[in-house]
Amino acid sequence: MPSSGHRLRDVEHHPLLAENDNYDSSSSSSSEADSADRVWFIRDGCGMICAVLTWLLVVYADFVVTFVMLLPSKDFWYSVVNGVIFNCLAVLALSSHLRTMLTDPGAVPKGNATKEYMESLQLKPGEVIYKCPKCCCIKPERAHHCSICKRCIRKMDHHCPWVNNCVGEKNQRFFVLFTMYVALCSVHALALCGLQFISCVRGQWTECSDFSPPVTVILLIFLCLEGLLFFTFTAVMFGTQIHSICNDETEIERLKSEKPTWERRLRWEGMKSVFGGPPSLLWMNPFVGFQFRRLQMRPRKGGPEFSV
């Protein structure tokens, strides 16, 4: 099986676990068995700060749009329509952010590189498999180790601190929705800011807002800067994600120029594999497949992730 050089080095210098290794495979298998019933969360300081900052910026934008621009407006339907649209986009953006952050991106079970597990695979003579020396797991094809999550992630695209998680096989659709809805929120906020500035200038800043003119100007300028920054970042990320999905190539694979050893799913086949099923409005819904999971405040040893 052809593979990239870094996987070959893993095999050459780090053989599979022997029977007398110190890793407790029984405790690992028991902890992984019920992982589907718990919420995934990464305990990374930088990631948690970035995630909270993302929420605060979206809430700030919603505050300015609602209380500075729409509620003081004399046009009732203008306020209602734009308020409903913007708040719906904000809820969808934050919901997509939560789904991206709290969804297992496709982590490979730790410590499964044991003799017993090897025998259960029923490998053919001469068949080569690869072991990650950092999390002691059998590394599937297209999996890469994340130094922040301390896990191997299937089809890992990249680790994003703004969602405090890796973007991988199981949560890429939510990350794409997050970037799309934030970009739409940014465009809508910028359009409303432009209209608000025109209205305030025409009315000589007397009745365009319930706040004083200097405060209104500061709030609107900061929202414009935030909207431009967020739109630029999320639009670029949305474009690169769609390009990667349509070419069935992750960002890591592109940067490392890895030659594909898998059968590529191009364009719509790739989109259907990520979003599930044929094109429909369900692709735009971040709540698809959502289930309430039991709360367990129990940290997991051996890595920064824990389940709640």
Side-chain angles (χ1 to χ4, degrees), residues 71-92:
L71 288 183
S73 175
K74 296 180 180 180
D75 190 334
F76 174 78
W77 288 111
Y78 172 84
S79 300
V80 170
V81 172
N82 283 285
V84 169
I85 293 176
F86 188 85
N87 281 277
C88 285
L89 291 175
V91 169
L92 289 171

Side-chain angles (χ1 to χ4, degrees), residues 230-266:
F230 265 44
F231 173 74
T232 302
F233 173 75
T234 54
V236 170
M237 288 303 301
F238 177 78
T240 56
Q241 287 295 300
I242 296 298
H243 180 269
S244 297
I245 293 172
C246 291
N247 289 304
D248 196 14
E249 182 182 46
T250 66
E251 187 67 17
I252 291 179
E253 292 164 351
R254 187 187 67 82
L255 292 175
K256 291 186 175 182
S257 299
E258 295 184 0
K259 296 181 179 180
T261 59
W262 60 92
E263 184 179 354
R264 283 189 166 181
R265 298 177 177 177
L266 300 180

Side-chain angles (χ1 to χ4, degrees), residues 127-305:
E127 186 174 353
V128 179
I129 60 174
Y130 303 99
K131 170 207 165 186
C132 176
K134 298 176 181 178
C135 56
C136 299
C137 71
I138 300 298
K139 182 181 288 188
E141 188 178 35
R142 306 187 70 183
H144 292 84
H145 185 85
C146 175
S147 59
I148 299 177
C149 296
K150 307 296 183 184
R151 300 288 290 272
C152 282
I153 307 297
R154 293 183 179 89
K155 289 185 66 176
M156 175 181 171
D157 188 85
H158 67 287
H159 184 96
C160 179
W162 296 103
V163 297
N164 189 33
N165 201 2
C166 278
V167 177
E169 184 178 62
K170 295 183 179 180
N171 68 344
Q172 187 175 25
R173 63 168 296 182
F174 301 122
F175 182 75
V176 173
L177 292 178
F178 167 66
T179 57
M180 181 186 71
Y181 285 125
V182 171
L184 292 176
C185 276
S186 301
V187 171
H188 194 191
L190 289 172
L192 291 176
C193 280
L195 295 175
Q196 187 70 13
F197 271 117
I198 294 175
S199 174
C200 289
V201 170
R202 288 178 176 176
Q204 297 182 350
W205 300 90
T206 55
E207 298 180 357
C208 67
S209 174
D210 293 336
F211 295 86
S212 64
V215 173
T216 302
V217 171
I218 293 175
L219 292 174
L220 292 178
I221 290 177
F222 189 80
L223 180 59
C224 287
L225 295 176
E226 178 190 343
L228 287 172
L229 181 63
F230 265 44
F231 173 74
T232 302
F233 173 75
T234 54
V236 170
M237 288 303 301
F238 177 78
T240 56
Q241 287 295 300
I242 296 298
H243 180 269
S244 297
I245 293 172
C246 291
N247 289 304
D248 196 14
E249 182 182 46
T250 66
E251 187 67 17
I252 291 179
E253 292 164 351
R254 187 187 67 82
L255 292 175
K256 291 186 175 182
S257 299
E258 295 184 0
K259 296 181 179 180
T261 59
W262 60 92
E263 184 179 354
R264 283 189 166 181
R265 298 177 177 177
L266 300 180
R267 297 179 176 84
W268 282 113
E269 291 300 320
M271 295 289 288
K272 287 190 287 187
S273 68
V274 171
F275 289 91
S280 68
L281 291 177
L282 293 178
W283 282 16
M284 314 282 285
N285 185 3
F287 302 102
V288 171
F290 176 76
Q291 295 178 349
F292 286 101
R293 311 197 177 198
R294 72 174 184 266
L295 301 179
Q296 291 187 344
M297 298 301 294
R298 182 174 64 185
R300 300 181 64 181
K301 299 179 180 179
E305 81 280 359

